[in-house]
Amino acid sequence: MNYQVNSKYRKLRHKIQFVISGITFKFLHLPPAYRIALFSQVTILISLYFPWFSIKGISYGIFSRFLWWLGTLLILWTVFLVFLMFSFRKKEHLKQRFGIGVSDAIIFIFFWSLQFFLLFLALQFLHSFSFFDKDIIFYTAPVFAICGSLFTLWSGIIAYRSSRREILHSLYVENDALSQEELDEYKEILSKNSGTPDKKNMALPI
């Protein structure tokens, strides 16, 4: 009995180690801009579980009866974005399925902009509560969420500029290699035609 329990424990431990090592490997291979975005997304996730405001001494979070639908949408959207950053094959499969031909940075900027819009919408709802109840107190969790979203958008812009720079550099290298090959071919043709002229071919037909 103890052997079976130990065997299940070892299998579970190996699975956890495999998942952690896979996440660590993918994180280390992420570009620096996407690492900043990942930390920002984790900050947003953590801030969603803290109280956002209080009314008459009672604290409420984003999952309260006032904003539960928006909080659920935000956490699902954030988890989806984190999954999309780690899953390269799923991301490419979605791009091929929907016929998306733009770069990953543009896709993430679009998704992160929607996330920022949802957070801004949540803040507008919270601000509207102050018109009905003057005893409302706002906490710092929404500020962390907004700052995380802004840092995410900033990292997306950095990733877009970096990818664009890499594309321009690769095009420049390819064009430079092609022009060098054409120049070598032109030099080879000139070297063949630069021999001493044949005097028989230069004789006038008289």
Side-chain angles (χ1 to χ4, degrees):
M1 188 69 181
N2 292 330
Y3 176 76
Q4 293 179 353
V5 174
N6 292 332
S7 177
K8 291 181 180 179
Y9 175 73
R10 283 196 301 270
K11 289 181 180 178
L12 179 62
R13 185 179 62 185
H14 289 320
K15 288 181 180 179
I16 294 174
Q17 290 177 352
F18 177 76
V19 172
I20 293 175
S21 61
I23 293 175
T24 306
F25 177 79
K26 290 182 178 181
F27 174 76
L28 293 176
H29 285 77
L30 283 175
Y34 288 110
R35 293 183 189 178
I36 298 173
L38 184 61
F39 280 120
S40 302
Q41 293 298 305
V42 172
T43 303
I44 294 173
L45 280 176
I46 294 174
S47 66
L48 293 178
Y49 287 97
F50 280 87
W52 279 40
F53 63 99
S54 66
I55 300 177
K56 296 179 180 180
I58 302 175
S59 298
Y60 297 95
I62 195 68
F63 301 105
S64 62
R65 56 196 176 110
F66 303 103
L67 297 172
W68 65 269
W69 58 275
L70 193 55
T72 305
L73 187 60
L74 267 171
I75 193 169
L76 290 176
W77 193 254
T78 306
V79 170
F80 168 72
L81 290 177
V82 172
F83 169 77
L84 206 63
M85 291 176 65
F86 276 112
S87 180
F88 177 77
R89 286 183 294 180
K90 291 290 184 181
K91 181 173 55 181
E92 294 299 322
H93 176 71
L94 289 174
K95 288 174 65 175
Q96 292 178 1
R97 183 176 181 180
F98 293 102
I100 301 174
V102 297
S103 63
D104 295 342
I106 296 177
I107 296 174
F108 278 121
I109 289 174
F110 174 74
F111 285 154
W112 290 333
S113 300
L114 291 179
Q115 185 187 47
F116 178 79
F117 173 75
L118 291 176
L119 288 170
F120 181 77
L121 188 64
L123 289 180
Q124 290 299 315
F125 271 104
L126 292 180
H127 182 68
S128 64
F129 293 159
S130 61
F131 294 104
F132 302 100
D133 198 331
K134 299 299 181 181
D135 296 330
I136 186 170
I137 299 174
F138 298 103
Y139 295 134
T140 56
V143 178
F144 280 102
I146 288 293
C147 290
S149 181
L150 290 175
F151 270 104
T152 306
L153 286 172
W154 174 68
S155 62
I157 294 172
I158 293 175
Y160 170 71
R161 289 181 177 178
S162 177
S163 63
R164 186 179 178 183
R165 196 180 301 114
E166 289 178 359
I167 292 172
L168 292 176
H169 178 71
S170 62
L171 289 175
Y172 174 78
V173 171
E174 290 178 0
N175 291 332
D176 186 61
L178 288 175
S179 61
Q180 186 66 32
E181 289 179 0
E182 292 176 355
L183 184 61
D184 292 338
E185 291 180 0
Y186 184 68
K187 287 181 179 179
E188 186 178 355
I189 293 172
L190 288 177
S191 62
K192 289 180 179 179
N193 295 331
S194 62
T196 56
D198 191 0
K199 294 182 178 180
K200 294 181 179 180
N201 294 331
M202 295 178 63
L204 293 176
I206 299 175

